[in-house]
Amino acid sequence: MRGGTNVEPTVHGSMDLPMGLDDIGGLPDGLGNRDPGQDDKAKGAAHHGSNGKSAEQAKPPANDRIPSDLNRWKERLEREVGFNKSFEVQVREVPFGDRRIAFLFLSVFVKDATMNEVLKRLSHLDPSCLSHEALEAYLTQYVPAMQVIRTESFNSMLDQVMMGNTAFYIDGQEAVLLIDAKQYPARNPEQPVLEKVVRGSKDGFTETLLMNIGLVRRRLRDRKARFEMMKVGMRSQTDVCIGYIDDITDPKLVEAVRDKVKKVKVDALPLADKQLEEMMINKGWNPFPNVRYTERPDVVAAQMLEGSLVLFTDTSPSAMMLPTTFFDLVQHAEESRQSPFIGTYLRWVRYIGILASMFMLPLWFLYAQNMAVRPDWLWFVGADKTGDLPLILQFIIAEMGVDLMRLAAVHTPAPLVTAMTLLSAILIGDIAVKTGLFINEVILYMAVSAIGMFATPSYELGLANRIVRLGLLVAVYFFKVPGFVVGTTLLFLYLALARSFNSPYLWPLVPFNGKALLAIFLRMPMPESDTRPSLYRPKQNQKQPT
């Protein structure tokens, strides 16, 4: 800054010098009358970004160099990116003295205000005494953008342009300036639909990666927090970010996840994080989730403080937290927003609902088929009549009906969802009972199980529990009591042997950890929650300052 000029942010948030032609310290005159030392400074500045770090790289191979002739440059753009065919790929030529300059950008990403400011700054220079080295130096130092880097690689230029950056080409030079003047289509943060809370923040992740990182950083101003950016997908070049706290998270976990992301070889990730998960974790036909998804930045910040690692994927409004356990998937942010007593009560109600969604229907079906094994205190369980259809067929049809109703609710316009639900649940259910196809008990217990499934915080776990319920129903139908016992035992063994990123899936039950298991069943007061879970192998076990 000169003469005490204040620095103020531009419209895109970068820091810019609000000075006119005279405030630059006579730069045009300096461009026309420079000594050799000043030439060297201009050339040196041409290889630095606005952050002051050198962006000069090794010379690219001959087939990757940028043509020094503007016409040949445009001809190659026609072959490589469909210039003059694809409407959003645009080149704006601007005559500037005895040279021609051009801007390559995608019209759907370019930020008009920033580019107008760039052109405005160019008008301050004197074309008659301007060399391309000085122009490059001037733009590098004074262009109002968040970042300006120089590259001599044609492929690198195209990759940056496809991300939304603008390439500034000077005729006669085998290099371009890449200007960060992009603006992605984005929506404002809103409360996640699947993770609503009565108390607490109402903001959630969006489809813009940078905004999601900002929401986490707002809650986690730790200087040890790290967010490493990587790219996945040969065609999509999807941004993937690994988030962790350097002095808490297990370095072996960080290295393992980083290696898995690097080894992902895929054409593209149009479905973002779910496809990334399947490429990283080869779980086959396992219905249970191996990672925990969330759309809440406060949950992500809390998990990072525990020692967990988080994966963000651009274009996805959710983040993956890993490793995870079965008990992590049944936690909800609402419990931590209430007092420990109320939080514990809500947690137990949720646990009972989840257990009911898995075992209530199979148990009722077992007792209805075998009255002899029914305890006396469950005298009300069973059915006096079974209806025109076999009970197992009633259950399967009811299960498919609930799933169909859920899918219809997703695809039905919001104003019609209530009417559709009433039509399906009341009219169809009531008519089915009155006609004798179904019995009241099937509808009742099916509704309770469905409520328990919807009360499961993890959507993926709720769907997996439904598969368990169907499997137990079939086992009870064919094998009665042994079918239920063997099916439940096999389920427990399967979950006990399962692992999520080399972490036991049923921890802290298997292997047993009494203190951690107590924290699962009880929402402990904040002062008493002073240690981090040993599952994550954190560098610092103590959570509360001493």
Side-chain angles (χ1 to χ4, degrees), residues 203 205 209-228 241-246 296-298 300-302 304-305 312:
D203 57 347
F205 290 141
L209 177 62
L210 295 180
M211 183 179 294
N212 296 342
I213 302 299
L215 291 173
V216 176
R217 269 294 189 182
R218 185 180 181 186
R219 293 165 170 81
L220 196 60
R221 301 176 181 179
D222 190 347
R223 66 184 67 182
K224 295 293 185 178
R226 302 289 183 264
F227 296 94
E228 300 181 10
C241 180
I242 303 176
Y244 61 95
I245 300 181
D246 193 37
R296 297 189 60 88
D298 52 355
V300 168
M304 290 178 65
L305 289 170
F312 301 88

Side-chain angles (χ1 to χ4, degrees), residues 510-538:
V510 179
F512 185 77
N513 186 318
K515 184 177 180 181
L517 188 62
L518 183 64
I520 293 294
F521 289 105
L522 303 178
R523 210 287 270 172
M524 305 299 293
M526 187 69 176
E528 298 180 19
S529 180
D530 56 353
T531 57
R532 295 184 172 89
S534 59
L535 173 75
Y536 302 128
R537 302 178 183 88

Side-chain angles (χ1 to χ4, degrees), residues 385-447:
K385 56 181 181 178
T386 60
D388 297 338
L389 295 176
L391 285 178
I392 185 63
L393 191 57
Q394 293 183 39
F395 284 128
I396 293 177
I397 294 176
E399 290 278 5
M400 294 180 63
V402 171
D403 275 334
L404 187 61
M405 185 172 61
R406 179 180 59 84
L407 294 174
V410 172
H411 301 295
T412 302
L416 302 179
V417 169
T418 302
M420 185 274 299
T421 305
L422 292 175
L423 178 66
S424 302
I426 298 177
L427 295 182
I428 297 179
D430 185 56
I431 293 174
V433 172
K434 288 182 178 180
T435 56
L437 295 177
F438 286 79
I439 60 175
N440 290 319
E441 287 83 353
V442 170
I443 302 298
L444 171 63
Y445 289 107
M446 185 67 239

Side-chain angles (χ1 to χ4, degrees), residues 224-379:
K224 295 293 185 178
R226 302 289 183 264
F227 296 94
E228 300 181 10
M229 193 73 75
M230 309 174 71
K231 291 188 182 298
V232 178
M234 183 181 68
R235 294 184 180 274
S236 64
Q237 291 289 299
T238 304
D239 290 324
V240 176
C241 180
I242 303 176
Y244 61 95
I245 300 181
D246 193 37
D247 59 346
I248 296 179
T249 309
D250 180 17
K252 294 182 179 179
L253 174 64
V254 177
E255 188 64 27
V257 174
R258 186 187 294 122
D259 290 342
K260 282 184 175 292
V261 174
K262 289 181 179 179
K263 291 179 181 178
V264 171
K265 304 299 181 184
V266 67
D267 205 36
L269 294 176
L271 301 183
D273 46 11
K274 188 58 183 176
Q275 290 181 326
L276 178 64
E277 175 198 346
E278 293 183 5
M279 294 298 297
M280 292 175 56
I281 307 173
N282 185 18
K283 67 176 185 178
W285 295 93
N286 177 18
F288 288 92
N290 286 81
V291 299
R292 180 184 175 188
Y293 286 97
T294 184
E295 297 183 23
R296 297 189 60 88
D298 52 355
V299 172
V300 168
Q303 284 297 112
M304 290 178 65
L305 289 170
E306 295 285 347
S308 181
L309 184 143
V310 184
L311 274 176
F312 301 88
T313 308
D314 195 24
T315 72
S316 173
S318 58
M320 289 190 292
M321 298 178 293
L322 46 94
T324 191
T325 68
F326 182 90
F327 297 102
D328 284 338
L329 297 169
V330 297
Q331 307 294 321
H332 194 274
E334 180 67 25
E335 301 160 2
S336 300
R337 295 290 183 176
Q338 304 296 333
S339 65
F341 185 89
I342 299 300
T344 301
Y345 167 74
L346 295 176
R347 183 172 293 184
W348 273 93
V349 169
R350 181 173 291 108
Y351 288 169
I352 292 174
I354 294 173
L355 290 175
S357 70
M358 298 174 66
F359 300 110
M360 177 175 285
L361 274 182
L363 279 174
W364 183 90
F365 187 35
L366 176 64
Y367 293 146
Q369 283 190 313
N370 303 271
M371 294 294 186
V373 300
R374 185 185 66 182
D376 293 337
W377 58 277
L378 291 178
W379 56 269

Side-chain angles (χ1 to χ4, degrees), residues 44-317:
H47 297 282
H48 288 75
S50 60
N51 57 5
K53 295 182 179 180
S54 176
E56 187 176 13
Q57 302 176 352
K59 285 283 187 180
N63 59 353
D64 189 31
R65 293 178 184 175
I66 296 176
S68 59
D69 180 71
L70 179 60
N71 294 328
R72 288 194 292 114
W73 183 66
K74 290 163 58 178
E75 289 175 0
R76 189 168 179 183
L77 290 177
E78 292 179 353
R79 297 193 305 268
E80 298 285 347
V81 294
F83 173 56
N84 288 331
K85 287 185 178 180
S86 188
F87 80 94
E88 84 282 8
V89 179
Q90 297 188 11
V91 174
R92 180 177 178 182
E93 295 185 47
V94 180
F96 205 81
D98 59 348
R99 292 189 179 275
R100 293 186 298 169
I101 63 175
F103 294 94
L104 169 64
F105 55 88
L106 298 182
S107 60
V108 293
F109 289 149
V110 70
K111 198 167 187 177
D112 295 337
T114 303
M115 292 309 302
N116 289 336
E117 189 67 20
V118 171
L119 294 174
K120 176 182 174 183
R121 292 305 178 95
L122 288 176
S123 65
H124 292 168
L125 300 179
D126 183 6
S128 61
C129 57
L130 181 66
S131 66
H132 61 277
E133 292 91 349
L135 177 60
E136 184 178 340
Y138 175 77
L139 287 176
T140 302
Q141 298 298 325
Y142 296 104
V143 70
M146 296 179 65
Q147 186 179 17
V148 178
I149 60 176
R150 181 178 182 272
T151 182
E152 298 179 3
S153 168
F154 193 86
N155 291 324
S156 176
M157 176 194 71
L158 293 185
D159 289 341
Q160 292 293 324
V161 171
M162 292 299 107
M163 292 173 54
N165 293 324
T166 298
F168 178 27
Y169 178 83
I170 306 173
D171 189 21
Q173 185 173 356
E174 295 182 344
V176 296
L177 287 179
L178 296 170
I179 304 173
D180 184 6
K182 59 181 176 290
Q183 182 179 20
Y184 291 140
R187 61 181 175 91
N188 294 325
E190 300 173 353
Q191 182 170 212
V193 178
L194 296 179
E195 299 176 273
K196 292 183 178 180
V197 294
V198 178
R199 298 284 184 184
S201 61
K202 302 298 189 294
D203 57 347
F205 290 141
T206 69
E207 290 76 15
T208 306
L209 177 62
L210 295 180
M211 183 179 294
N212 296 342
I213 302 299
L215 291 173
V216 176
R217 269 294 189 182
R218 185 180 181 186
R219 293 165 170 81
L220 196 60
R221 301 176 181 179
D222 190 347
R223 66 184 67 182
K224 295 293 185 178
R226 302 289 183 264
F227 296 94
E228 300 181 10
M229 193 73 75
M230 309 174 71
K231 291 188 182 298
V232 178
M234 183 181 68
R235 294 184 180 274
S236 64
Q237 291 289 299
T238 304
D239 290 324
V240 176
C241 180
I242 303 176
Y244 61 95
I245 300 181
D246 193 37
D247 59 346
I248 296 179
T249 309
D250 180 17
K252 294 182 179 179
L253 174 64
V254 177
E255 188 64 27
V257 174
R258 186 187 294 122
D259 290 342
K260 282 184 175 292
V261 174
K262 289 181 179 179
K263 291 179 181 178
V264 171
K265 304 299 181 184
V266 67
D267 205 36
L269 294 176
L271 301 183
D273 46 11
K274 188 58 183 176
Q275 290 181 326
L276 178 64
E277 175 198 346
E278 293 183 5
M279 294 298 297
M280 292 175 56
I281 307 173
N282 185 18
K283 67 176 185 178
W285 295 93
N286 177 18
F288 288 92
N290 286 81
V291 299
R292 180 184 175 188
Y293 286 97
T294 184
E295 297 183 23
R296 297 189 60 88
D298 52 355
V299 172
V300 168
Q303 284 297 112
M304 290 178 65
L305 289 170
E306 295 285 347
S308 181
L309 184 143
V310 184
L311 274 176
F312 301 88
T313 308
D314 195 24
T315 72
S316 173

Side-chain angles (χ1 to χ4, degrees), residues 462-478:
L463 295 178
N465 290 343
R466 165 164 290 186
I467 301 301
V468 170
R469 182 169 69 241
L470 285 172
L472 290 177
L473 282 172
V474 174
V476 169
Y477 174 73
F478 284 106

